[in-house]
Amino acid sequence: MDQPSQTLRWQRWQIVMIASIIFGLGTVLAFSTLAVKKNISPAEMPAAFAKQVILYDWENDIPWSVLNAFTQEFGIEVIYKTFDSLTEAVESVKSGNVYDLMVIDNERVPELIEQNLLTPIDYSNVANMRNISANFRDLAYDPHNKHSVPFNWGTTGLLVRTDLIEKPITSWSDLWRDDLKGKIGIRNDERELLAVTLKSLGFSINTEDPKELELAEQRLFELRDCVVLMDSYAEGAMPLLLGGSIAVMIGYAEDFLLAEDAEEPIEYVFPQEGSLLWGDNFVIPASSLNKTTAELFLNYLLRPQVAAQIVNENHYANANEAASSFIAPEIIDNTVIFPVVKDLINAEVFLPLSEQGRALYSTIWTKFLGEALVLAP
Amino acid sequence: MKQQTAYSIKRRLWAFLCLILSLTFLFISLGVYSFTAAGEKAVWAERQDEAAKAASEVIEQFVGRVNGALHTLGYLSEDHVNELQELPAYLIEDYPFLLEIVRLNKKGTVSQGAHRDNPVLSSLFTIPQANWFREAKQGKAYISDVLVSSQGTPYMIMSEPADNNNVVAARFRMDILWKIVDELRFGEGGITFVVDQSGRIIAHPDRTRVLQNTSVALREEFVLAKNSANFTWSGSYVNLQGDNVIGTVRPIPGTNWLLIAELQRREALARSHAALVFLSVAGGLFGLIAMLIITRLSQHFVFGPIGRLQEASQSIGQGDLETQIPVVARNEIGQVALAFNDMVIRLRDREEQITQNASLKAELKERERTQAELQKAKEAAEKANLAKSEFLSRMSHELRTPLNATLGFAQLLERDTQFPLEARQEKRVVQILKAGKHLLGLINEILDISRIEAGKLTLSLEPVQVSTIVFETLELVSPLAEKAGITLKTDIPSGIFVIADNQRLKQVLLNLLTNAIKYNQAGGNVRLYCEAHEETKLRLYVKDTGHGIPNEKMRDLFQPFNRLGAEETNIEGVGIGLALSKHLMDAMNGTLNVSSVKGEGSTFWATFPLTTAATPFSNNSESPKDKKTPLTSGVHTFLYIEDNLSNLTVMEDVFEEQPKIQLLTALQGRRGLELAQQHPIDIIILDLHLPDLSGKEVLQQLKKQPCTAGIPVVVLSADATESQINTLMTLGAHSYLTKPLDVDNLLHTLNTLMEVRL
């Protein structure tokens, strides 16, 4: 007969019982440690990029060398779609065409924002925003740069055939001189000549003050028989100046570059009342299917070297301050392209007008075009 | 062997205890944890809130100081501006966080300004379009986003309207603000940071967050705070760094910024966690120890004793009655053990008793076995006896048929009136008849015994007058007595009736008397007398004066074929008379007894039930004594259907002496039926054993036909079985006579029939 085995010997079930208690304890401890374990933040997750990005811009605005480099680096193909006019660009966006990154001028930005056609830019993906000059940050057309990043900019001044005029031209007011009658080339732009008129009167180019506009209208009409309406493209307008049929024309700094190498003595004048400043911006249309990819692309374009390469190839001034040291010296030192601050005193940026303002401007301009048109030969 | 019980109470109890204990500790641990965690959280939330409040005050103060600088410059009237051109420079000196401070006229032209590093605000050509100028010009205070210069220097611009539509603006460093948030740390991993109203981070201990324009705009804590009434919110979430934190969001007065203070949840709940871990470990250990103690205690006090009880009961169950359970304690189990021990002692006593009885038992068993054997032997004997009876029955039956012829012809010879026998011949015929009858008697007796033994004997019990029977019997034995020189004395009064079978009683009596004569001494006597016994019975005594029967032989007296040594004498006999008599008496509800005194003789007495009433049938006992009874009536035609030629010859001889009887014979049943229809038959004598039809069928045919139905049929057969007789009588036979043929009896029957018919 078995001697009482129950006394002091471990039995299997007892071991099982103790093991289960230890297991339970372990579970509680594991639970308590798990509770404080780090979770992976969604912010640290790599973003998924699209295979391609659609750029919508003026033709040749961004060189292919830059775009190909992007494709090479990120494996993202760039589809470059172009527009011929800002009106076309806006209409295209409005009609719902899909673009990931678009270039548009200052004036059109508020309109697009208002119509919810733009996506706010997440600057945590666009750290290169810091490269943008303070001059172009947080301007009136887009508070806090919520929807746009400044890109190219430039001045509108006067291109002058110094050999064809008797007295030097230094201001917008000189256009009203009698000796220049019929020798002034202008473009068909609703705001440009009116802005010049306003500037000559010492008013803001963005004014909506009816009194100021009335004065400006009167002064504008004084130019009725004195101006020659040119092609909007520099390539079309420049022959007039080079040919000598006009002695002075309202033009962009880059237009001057076309004439720089010409034999005729042509000068670019920053009028004393202040130049007109234009600016282009990168925006992300709401139609973009991959905003993150668009932001990646934008951030790439804002790299100092990339921005500098664009400048080096296209010769437009860039809002990218950090790019300066990478821009070819002949370009950065060209004061027509990159004016010295002295020349920009009183310079003014075109800002969007209100509805009424726009109507007012439009009426004046139509009236002006209807009454006096001296077309280029 | 110890049994492993699958559902032992012990295991269940301990499993239950373990479960309860584990659950208890689990609940206690979790409960304590949740309580301390809640408390800790509350404390932290309060501390955090206070700290955040303090921090926001600090930031407010900072912003206030920037504002102060702007106010100082802005309060100047336009006239004083030119006079106090040095003021901005002083301000830059006084306020280390100021990078630049400017005053602008309404057109955006800088009228006054100073800067620490390089001019930014004063060098801009887009001032009129810049929001900081435009907002202030429209009379609003302006704070920019965090702006990062291309050199990576973060700064902010703050502006406000100044006297005479002028604008004052300051560009200031972020380091101070960052320093402030750097110092606002909760615990080791906690952070505090500032976001603007759009969710962009303005100040953060991790500066890259600011430099990379990180925004919390879409994060839960920001959205919830933005949506709450006063931009205040607190709760737990996973922060930007992916840490589990407890955060507080509150607005910074004087700005549209929000302060977010975060505390690592792990730190916040460190003590709760510690408590949980401690409780779990301590609880687990305590549980283990408690379980061990409970296990040991219950083993010692409960399950051990129960186990011993179990083992003891098992060993007792296996027959070991020497087992005693050690009684350790006087508790309940001890009491059970005591009771158990007591029970074992009683069991042991009981066992001893049983052992003593065992021999008796064995004997009993042996007896039972013997009995069974006896029973078997008895059955075998009975079977053998039955076989013997069967054999005897057949033998006697087979013997009777030739004897029938012998006796029949002897009788014919004796009765031949035409050619009467000479005296010598007659004497010899008489010897033949005598011997034949003796043989017949013996055969009949053997048959009787076998019938009795087979239980097939049928008796017709009826009141019988004793004196008549005695008279008839004495008549039969008197010649024998005379011859032996024995005197017969009877003393039987008439009018005494007993219940018995007439014939069988006579047979018994004849037997007793014959024995009494045969085994008597020369010149002895036989006395026949009777006396009532117990009022309802009659004893009929036959007392002889023979040699008597020795006591030792008394037992074998009634055994068949046991002649008690008489076989060595010249006294005739086969030794079945007494056996048959005894059987017959038993069958007639009587008894046959004997008492004997050696040398003086024996007394046999038969005991019968007494009765008082005589019956009409008592006349039946009258036997035809007239040997030569003639059939007196006129000419009659008898039909005898019989296949046995010797029997036919006997019958023809019988009727040859009766001139008025015409006997027709048929050897086959069908022939007999034909004859019965063709001739006017008075009586048909029918044998049962026929070659074509059985006698039974013939009888049925006869009874079916109207012309023959009325003819009385006398069956004459060697088959004397009761059932056969009954069957045929039921079918309509008038009488049933058995072979060997008793001519007198036949004639008597026929005569009676004829009388009835006439």
Side-chain angles (χ1 to χ4, degrees), chain A residues 292-355:
Chain A
T292 318
T293 313
E295 282 163 352
L296 178 79
F297 184 43
L298 173 58
N299 200 40
Y300 166 80
L301 293 175
L302 294 182
R303 286 183 187 174
Q305 295 91 332
V306 174
Q309 195 178 344
I310 297 170
V311 175
N312 287 339
E313 295 208 19
N314 287 353
H315 301 206
Y316 286 113
N318 197 305
N320 197 311
E321 189 177 76
S324 308
S325 50
F326 301 100
I327 296 171
E330 67 271 21
I331 298 171
I332 195 77
D333 293 340
N334 186 325
T335 54
V336 173
I337 298 171
F338 289 98
V340 292
V341 175
K342 169 180 74 70
D343 288 335
L344 290 175
I345 286 171
N346 294 326
E348 206 171 353
V349 173
F350 280 111
L351 294 178
L353 301 168
S354 69
E355 194 114 0

Side-chain angles (χ1 to χ4, degrees), chain B residues 180 254 257 491 567 646 676 691 753:
Chain B
I180 294 168
W257 299 341
D491 182 15
E567 58 271 21
S646 64
L753 261 174

Side-chain angles (χ1 to χ4, degrees), chain A residues 6 8 10 13-14 17 25 28 36 38-39 41 123-124 130 135 137-140 143-144 321 348 351, chain B residues 14 18 124-126 129 131 134 142 145 148 150 211-213 240 242-243 273 280 292 295-296 299:
Chain A
Q6 312 97 311
L8 276 174
W10 290 108
W13 66 267
Q14 282 178 315
M17 210 70 85
L25 263 178
V28 172
V36 296
K38 262 196 173 186
N39 288 356
S41 158
Y123 284 102
S124 57
R130 75 177 61 163
N135 268 304
R137 293 198 196 180
D138 196 12
L139 297 185
H144 301 278
E321 189 177 76
E348 206 171 353
L351 294 178
Chain B
W14 287 349
C18 260
L124 295 177
F125 54 83
T126 55
Q129 287 80 47
N131 281 322
R134 293 167 68 89
Y142 169 92
D145 295 334
V148 184
S150 54
L211 299 179
Q212 286 172 352
N213 312 314
L240 270 176
D243 293 330
H273 278 297
S280 303
L292 285 177
T295 306
R296 291 297 184 274
Q299 181 64 53

Side-chain angles (χ1 to χ4, degrees), chain A residues 48-50 52-54 96-101 119 284-294:
Chain A
F49 295 115
Q52 57 183 36
V53 65
I54 305 168
N97 286 319
V98 174
Y99 304 115
D100 291 316
L101 193 68
T119 303
I284 299 174
S287 63
S288 168
L289 296 177
N290 200 320
K291 191 190 161 214
T292 318
T293 313

Side-chain angles (χ1 to χ4, degrees), chain B residues 22 30 92 107 151 248 383 402 468 477 480 551 670 721:
Chain B
S22 309
L30 290 179
I92 294 284
K107 287 200 169 187
Q151 285 81 36
T248 294
K383 223 163 147 191
T468 313
V477 298
L480 185 65
N551 270 341
R670 288 207 181 81
T721 59

Side-chain angles (χ1 to χ4, degrees), chain B residues 68-83:
Chain B
L70 286 175
H71 291 339
T72 310
L73 195 60
Y75 282 148
L76 292 178
S77 68
E78 210 157 2
D79 299 339
H80 287 108
V81 170
N82 290 329
E83 291 170 21

